[in-house]
Amino acid sequence: MRMQTPFQPGSAPSPGEAAGSAGDVRAGGRADAVGTGRRRGWSLPGWRGPVTSAAVLAAALAVWETGVRVTGTPSYALPAPSEIVTAADWGAVLEAVKSTVLAVLGGFAAGNAAGFALALLISASPVLASVLYPLALTLRAIPVVALAPFITLAFGRGATLTVVVAALIVFFPTLINVLLGLRSVEREALELMHVLNCRPVTVYRRVRLPAAMPSFFDAMRIAAPSAVLGVMTAEWIIGGQGLGKLVITAALSLETATMWAAILASSVVAGLLFSLVTLAERLLLPWAERR
């Protein structure tokens, strides 16, 4: 997405106006958002969004509970939500959640940091862009699961493996989105920075990085549920103590209540991570257009 800036095509600002505009692009963008009363697209404003989501979730659980009871579905096939609450081994679920969350957070942080840093390098160097960007796109097409044997040989079968898998899943969306954000700066802004003889570091700090940050948060929102799924898949394949391993062991022992509790817990973890990223964006990028 393109960042809103105070520069308008076809209007030549005076030197004083130009200096003031280039002094803080972010402040200009925020003023534009406030002054024009920019809407938040299709999302519900304020508290209505979370309340509506909670109402939809409650309705889905009610339909699930009613459907199981009316049809007489056996609990080993599909337990009702009330049975999951009473029959699941919540001690095992919470212990598995702790292991999975640690792996997700570690991989999420490492993958985002590496993707952001490499995007900066590629953006700053045409040589690196011509070499690394096609290579990154090629590697992106390889399923991470297919790399599991090689990752296992390199990092062993411990908890490090799940962190590496999550980091690889997070790395590529961050790299591509941040790079697109860095390149999405409006031409008028770059021309003005050139006229003002600004250093490359200043151009990045004042223009390119603010323009790339919304894309960075978009990438993190995309990667949040994928990181949880990747860690669970790794736990499923190699073992471990997380939710992926618990789902398999509970299914094999016909403890369906515990299996569904682990599945629902993974959804909660992914949803919380997604919500934290959205909240961080609202706090750190108040000028960004809401989606």
Side-chain angles (χ1 to χ4, degrees):
M1 102 181 252
R2 297 178 68 85
M3 179 182 173
Q4 295 292 329
T5 72
F7 309 112
Q8 297 298 327
S11 64
S14 66
E17 292 171 340
S21 298
D24 193 345
V25 172
R26 290 178 298 178
R30 181 178 184 179
D32 178 67
V34 174
T36 59
R38 181 182 299 164
R39 297 184 181 278
R40 298 183 177 182
W42 53 268
S43 61
L44 297 174
W47 54 269
R48 293 185 180 87
V51 170
T52 303
S53 298
V56 171
L57 178 60
L61 292 175
V63 170
W64 182 354
E65 180 83 23
T66 304
V68 170
R69 292 185 180 280
V70 169
T71 60
T73 304
S75 59
Y76 63 82
L78 180 63
S82 59
E83 186 174 358
I84 294 175
V85 172
T86 56
D89 184 356
W90 288 105
V93 172
L94 292 177
E95 193 66 28
V97 165
K98 186 188 305 181
S99 177
T100 298
V101 166
L102 290 176
V104 168
L105 292 180
F108 194 72
N112 279 306
F116 196 99
L118 186 58
L120 286 176
L121 290 176
I122 290 177
S123 174
S125 171
V127 175
L128 290 178
S130 62
V131 175
L132 295 182
Y133 191 59
L135 181 62
L137 292 180
T138 302
L139 293 176
R140 175 69 179 88
I142 301 176
V144 175
V145 175
L147 299 175
F150 305 100
I151 301 174
T152 303
L153 291 175
F155 298 97
R157 299 176 64 89
T160 305
L161 175 60
T162 57
V163 175
V164 172
V165 170
L168 286 175
I169 291 175
V170 170
F171 171 79
F172 291 104
T174 299
L175 169 64
I176 295 171
N177 278 271
V178 172
L179 189 57
L180 291 176
L182 291 170
R183 292 175 172 175
S184 68
V185 178
E186 293 178 355
R187 181 171 55 84
E188 290 82 2
L190 294 177
E191 290 176 351
L192 182 57
M193 300 300 283
H194 178 72
V195 169
L196 296 175
N197 198 26
C198 293
R199 295 179 302 170
V201 174
T202 303
V203 175
Y204 269 84
R205 185 167 60 88
R206 293 291 190 183
V207 177
R208 289 195 182 277
L209 283 178
M213 292 308 292
S215 298
F216 180 45
F217 278 94
D218 284 342
M220 287 196 290
R221 266 193 294 272
I222 294 172
S226 299
V228 176
L229 179 61
V231 167
M232 291 185 64
T233 303
E235 293 168 344
W236 183 356
I237 295 174
I238 67 168
Q241 304 300 320
L243 289 170
K245 178 67 174 179
L246 182 60
V247 168
I248 295 302
T249 56
L252 293 176
S253 57
L254 297 181
E255 297 176 4
T256 52
T258 301
M259 181 192 73
W260 277 99
I263 294 173
L264 295 176
S266 68
S267 300
V268 171
V269 170
L272 287 177
L273 188 56
F274 181 93
S275 300
L276 286 175
V277 173
T278 302
L279 177 62
E281 183 189 23
R282 289 181 182 277
L283 294 176
L284 298 176
L285 309 181
W287 73 88
E289 183 180 359
R290 305 302 180 203
R291 290 162 295 279

